[in-house]
Amino acid sequence: MKPQVHTYRDDAMGEHDGVALAALVRSGDLSSTEVIEAAIARVEAVDPILHAVQVRAYGRARAASIDIDAPLAGVPTFIKDNTDVIGLPTNHGSACYVAKAAKQDSPVTTQYLSSGMVALGKSRLPEFGFNAATEYRYEEPVRNPWNLEYTPGASSGGSGVLVAAGAVPVAHANDGGGSIRIPASCNGLVGLKPSRGRFADGPQAKSAPINVVGEGVITRSVRDTAAYLAAAERFAPARRMRPIGRVEGPATTPLRIGLVIDSPAGAETDDQTRTAIERTAKALEAMGHHVEPATVPVDEQFAADFVTYWGMLAFLATRTGRLLIDRRFDATRADGLTLGLRSQFQRHLLDAPGALRRLKKTEAIYQAAFGRHDLILSPVLAHVPPKIGYLSPQQPFDQLMKRLTNYVAFTPLNNVSGGPAIAVPAGMSIEGVPIGAHLSGKIGDEATLLCVAFALEEANWGIV
């Protein structure tokens, strides 16, 4: 297999990020048609290898009306296939049903496209976003463009792959346990999960017992992430939360940064990841920040409670599928992870009230962890991205769950607490796949995360 795949070429897109492309469209140096056609050609060149696209919508993209004054005017993008786009099906990565065309845009889609971007279609995710690898029971897995034998992460795996391969500069992603930050880390990209309540929610997030989902983007540059956040905020400012504003570069204020290398839930961090995070800490110290060891006051009980909640979501998805999703929903076609989570939840049903009660206290615990620190630095994942198959949903469930909980050991805390966090590149593994660093911030303080990410990017730290 070819070890690395990309689509960079001498066309209208070149190596521009989204902000640069929008500026060229706005000035008339490029037409939106040129950019969209270049992106379509790139997607078609790479997707037969990477399998990142779920739905193509090229005709509507070509016919789209461009708001030339929008911050990301004419920038081609993809929307994750768990989010409704009018006229397109939403299949949530599942073989349990075949979706009909959505009758209207999700509020998430409306806010997302208010930035001026043009959707070329929908990107793939694992079933209901439950897995940390974009793999399936019946279909081809999504492959990492840095090394095709390895996972690109999940659940926004298709979006991460399309951005990493250069097919589009920005793609929609959402994050219920790490699903923006994990594919950003695995693909050498930038991925920020915003604070709970910062942006519009989809209907599933609103109706969940605890809203753990944050909506955002995966990008190749920090300024694209910052530009999108500013655009989304202008469209619908968050209530009772300090505005992010347009962050355009690093700040010079020294920060107190806590360093957490080993998971508070007990998972062991591998040597390559440990080295990458220690080197990132030294880079931050060289910039004038004070970095010191820190602890996060959660433990193995938090991890167990999160798995209980994970199982509850699988139980609800499969038990209510015919009522809420599609009357032809067939739960027997779900993959092994979904069915295993459902079964485990049913066996431990009486644990759910206590788990929910403890998880709802996490926000206060999280905020207290920032009593002496402005940010906390950790790995995104406890070890480097594994080969495809290691997290296959069809392996024995107990083995898969042990692997998942040892791998996804850092990101869920931000989902349950509502705190923001950003994944940024931290280097390359000997296997030829990226490693990411994770910066967590106080609830509502995305601006500081962006400032530090800009500083690391300008220092070419971790660029892959």
Side-chain angles (χ1 to χ4, degrees):
M1 247 183 228
K2 186 178 179 183
Q4 189 173 324
V5 174
H6 69 81
T7 62
Y8 296 106
R9 59 186 70 181
D10 185 16
D11 61 10
M13 292 179 68
E15 296 187 13
H16 299 302
D17 67 359
V19 170
L21 281 175
L24 291 167
V25 170
R26 197 173 296 114
S27 68
D29 291 333
L30 285 176
S31 71
S32 59
T33 298
E34 288 178 290
V35 175
I36 289 167
E37 292 298 337
I40 290 171
R42 289 186 178 200
V43 172
E44 290 305 297
V46 78
D47 196 57
I49 303 168
L50 300 178
H51 311 294
V53 177
Q54 178 66 30
V55 177
R56 289 164 171 76
Y58 298 157
R60 63 193 290 164
R62 289 173 170 132
S65 176
I66 307 298
D67 178 2
I68 202 70
D69 295 320
L72 293 170
V75 174
T77 191
F78 277 81
I79 294 175
K80 186 175 174 181
D81 190 34
N82 62 358
T83 302
D84 283 351
V85 177
I86 188 170
L88 301 181
T90 304
N91 242 99
H92 292 272
S94 179
C96 293
Y97 69 109
V98 177
K100 300 174 183 177
K103 296 181 179 179
Q104 60 186 12
D105 283 341
S106 164
V108 173
T109 300
T110 302
Q111 185 168 36
Y112 185 74
L113 296 180
S114 72
S115 64
M117 290 188 282
V118 178
L120 303 184
K122 304 187 81 175
S123 61
R124 294 178 79 200
L125 71 153
E127 185 164 73
F128 301 116
F130 292 147
N131 206 343
T134 313
E135 300 182 33
Y136 304 92
R137 178 177 178 181
Y138 299 105
E139 300 177 11
E140 283 284 330
V142 179
R143 296 185 178 276
N144 193 315
W146 290 96
N147 188 325
L148 296 175
E149 295 182 355
Y150 286 77
T151 180
S155 68
S156 308
S159 289
V161 163
L162 290 163
V163 174
V168 293
V170 181
H172 168 248
N174 44 36
D175 189 316
S179 297
I180 293 173
R181 294 159 288 159
I182 291 170
S185 177
C186 293
N187 291 285
L189 302 169
V190 178
L192 186 149
K193 186 208 83 72
S195 302
R196 180 162 47 228
R198 175 65 75 183
F199 298 126
D201 289 318
Q204 293 84 11
K206 285 183 177 179
S207 63
I210 301 174
N211 181 0
V212 296
V213 179
E215 300 287 341
V217 289
I218 296 178
T219 67
R220 293 197 303 270
S221 70
V222 178
R223 74 171 182 171
D224 274 1
T225 292
Y228 171 72
L229 296 181
E233 185 174 63
R234 279 195 296 272
F235 179 78
R239 299 176 185 176
R240 299 183 297 276
M241 199 175 294
R242 185 175 66 183
I244 302 169
R246 180 64 183 268
V247 181
E248 298 186 287
T252 57
T253 305
L255 300 174
R256 298 166 302 168
I257 300 176
L259 176 62
V260 177
I261 294 183
D262 292 305
S263 165
E268 184 177 352
T269 299
D270 76 354
D271 290 342
Q272 291 191 77
T273 303
R274 182 180 300 275
T275 298
I277 302 308
E278 289 173 343
R279 291 176 61 238
T280 303
K282 290 178 180 177
L284 291 168
E285 286 181 324
M287 295 173 187
H289 303 300
H290 176 68
V291 182
E292 63 181 14
T295 58
V296 179
V298 295
D299 54 19
E300 293 182 11
Q301 182 63 58
F302 171 81
D305 290 342
F306 187 78
V307 170
T308 297
Y309 188 64
W310 201 356
M312 178 186 295
L313 297 179
F315 174 81
L316 292 172
T318 52
R319 286 296 296 268
T320 65
R322 288 189 178 184
L323 179 64
L324 300 180
I325 299 176
D326 190 286
R327 62 183 179 83
R328 295 166 297 181
F329 188 96
D330 180 3
T332 66
R333 289 181 60 80
D335 70 23
L337 176 57
T338 301
L339 294 175
L341 284 168
R342 182 184 72 175
S343 178
Q344 178 174 270
F345 177 74
Q346 290 174 306
R347 291 196 305 273
H348 301 282
L349 189 63
L350 295 179
D351 294 340
L356 287 173
R357 186 172 59 252
R358 288 186 293 270
L359 289 174
K360 287 178 180 179
K361 295 178 180 178
T362 304
E363 180 176 344
I365 294 171
Y366 178 90
Q367 285 290 71
F370 288 91
R372 58 176 291 123
H373 298 115
D374 300 297
L375 300 176
I376 292 176
L377 169 66
S378 73
V380 178
L381 296 158
H383 60 78
V384 300
K387 284 189 173 183
I388 286 172
Y390 182 81
L391 298 176
S392 167
Q394 294 309 109
Q395 66 185 280
F397 176 73
D398 289 345
Q399 175 177 284
L400 175 57
M401 286 305 297
K402 182 176 180 180
R403 289 177 173 183
L404 281 171
T405 53
N406 286 337
Y407 181 50
V408 185
F410 295 92
T411 54
L413 176 59
N414 299 81
N415 298 91
V416 179
S417 68
I422 191 169
V424 295
M428 185 71 76
S429 72
I430 59 174
E431 293 85 358
V433 287
I435 298 171
H438 191 251
L439 289 159
S440 298
K442 299 174 185 177
I443 294 173
D445 193 17
E446 289 89 342
T448 300
L449 293 174
L450 290 169
C451 286
V452 174
F454 265 117
L456 289 168
E457 184 178 68
E458 288 190 5
N460 288 324
W461 180 253
I463 299 299
V464 295

